[in-house]
Amino acid sequence: MPELPEVEIVRSGLERLLSGAAVAGIDLHRRDVRRPMPASLRTLSGPVRAVRRRAKYLCIDLDGGGILCHLGMTGSWRVAVDVRPHDHATVRLADGRRLVYNDPRRFGVLDRLRPDGGHPDLDGLGHEPLSDDFTGAALAACFADRRGPVKPALMDQGLVVGVGNIYAAESLFRAGIDPRTPAGSLRRPRLDRLAHCVREVLAEAIAAGGSSISDFRHAGGEEGWFQHAFRVYGRGGEPCLTCGTVLRGMALGGRATVWCPRCQRQRTR
DNA sequence: CTCCTATCCTGCGAGC
DNA sequence: TGCTCGCAGGATAGGA
């Protein structure tokens, strides 16, 4: 479910829900998700100062710390009026509402932020693709000496954050770049284009409310619409919507990858 | 370093 | 209808 656009939509939903709210306490319903959830989370309380996103992480800032959350593949937050399987933690608000973290596969992370809002998981992350410093020049510096394919490089959170399997495929299609192209072989004009296309695809996805695959929903239960705009993701064997060529698929870096052999090239011709 | 694979876990759809 | 298999938005450890 969650790549940068989906996490950003969750963030803005939580921001709206938590604006002016205060945390009364946190209940943990099991010991761990992907990692152990620290017992010190239970002692957090007080007014919500901010709801931030960094990479695919959510940060709920409270005085003296806060909550760090990564949604993994299947994490979600909802205002609970019921109890469901895989509810792993409950944030009790002072007004009586209960905000519940649910995560069937338990690939997510819930941890406590330091009082300064930092966390070891937030160190060593790469460029935010929607920030001004995300340019072809930045990509050139990241990709230098990388001989592996560009798609896994684009998904490496130490280089560029927030881009996962869907948006990597869609961005490379839009940029006309074959996902197998050695990252370090790409030159400036194409990297400028790639940076531009990544930014454009992510921004459009946010505007469309994200991509609802199987279970992604907004905090209010609405679906996103960007899944209807996919040009290549999940379309292996089907015709390219631009040129009609049959889209090709193979695993890259262990992830399903689809591209158009005609529209996407390793070199410009 | 870089790169590749396997792994964590549950749910769902395809195919038999 | 009911079963098994493969695969899924992510991240990381371990080996080559």
Side-chain angles (χ1 to χ4, degrees):
Chain A
M1 171 242 294
E3 300 182 33
L4 188 149
E6 291 75 33
V7 177
E8 179 57 30
I9 283 153
V10 171
R11 187 207 66 76
S12 62
L14 288 176
E15 181 174 63
R16 181 193 289 243
L17 285 168
L18 292 173
S19 163
V23 171
I26 299 176
D27 300 327
L28 305 179
H29 311 309
R30 59 176 294 130
R31 275 186 53 239
D32 50 30
V33 275
R34 176 176 172 68
R35 299 196 303 243
M37 299 182 278
S40 64
L41 272 173
R42 298 176 192 273
T43 64
L44 283 173
S45 66
V48 175
R49 299 301 185 185
V51 183
R52 294 178 288 133
R53 179 191 61 75
R54 168 72 173 115
K56 298 175 191 169
Y57 290 90
L58 293 163
C59 302
I60 301 173
D61 289 322
L62 305 170
D63 294 333
I67 304 166
L68 176 82
C69 175
H70 191 297
L71 300 171
M73 294 272 238
T74 54
S76 64
W77 287 95
R78 75 180 193 281
V79 176
V81 293
D82 54 0
V83 175
R84 299 182 191 175
H86 314 300
D87 283 348
H88 302 315
T90 300
V91 177
R92 284 180 284 108
L93 301 180
D95 60 18
R97 286 180 298 164
R98 305 168 77 82
L99 200 56
V100 171
Y101 179 70
N102 184 284
D103 186 357
R105 287 175 75 179
R106 304 204 301 272
F107 283 0
V109 169
L110 268 194
D111 207 345
R112 184 169 171 149
L113 292 168
R114 292 191 304 259
D116 69 357
H119 188 281
D121 284 11
L122 301 178
D123 298 336
L125 291 170
H127 293 275
E128 281 288 342
L130 298 181
S131 77
D132 290 340
D133 67 357
F134 182 67
T135 59
L139 280 179
C142 289
F143 290 172
D145 304 330
R146 281 237 167 191
R147 284 191 279 174
V150 63
K151 178 170 170 266
L154 196 55
M155 294 168 63
D156 184 334
Q157 301 298 298
L159 304 180
V160 179
V161 301
V163 179
N165 205 30
I166 292 176
Y167 296 107
E170 296 299 318
S171 299
L172 287 165
F173 175 82
R174 192 172 294 200
I177 297 172
D178 184 321
R180 301 169 299 175
T181 312
S185 74
L186 290 162
R187 298 291 164 237
R188 276 302 292 282
R190 305 193 81 201
L191 291 174
D192 290 341
R193 177 159 175 75
L194 179 57
H196 173 77
C197 290
V198 167
R199 186 192 299 264
E200 207 173 57
V201 165
L202 294 177
E204 287 175 20
I206 292 172
S211 302
S212 288
I213 300 185
S214 78
D215 55 3
F216 172 70
R217 295 292 183 278
H218 298 195
E222 311 94 332
E223 289 191 25
W225 288 94
F226 198 74
Q227 68 276 15
H228 302 298
F230 292 165
R231 306 297 299 262
V232 288
Y233 177 81
R235 299 195 61 243
E238 296 178 39
C240 174
L241 296 169
T242 299
C243 74
T245 303
V246 173
L247 298 177
R248 214 183 133 184
M250 71 175 281
L252 279 184
R255 312 301 298 277
T257 300
V258 178
W259 75 98
C260 173
R262 181 162 177 196
C263 295
Q264 295 174 259
R265 301 285 187 165
Q266 300 215 20
R267 320 169 61 94
T268 44
R269 292 184 308 154

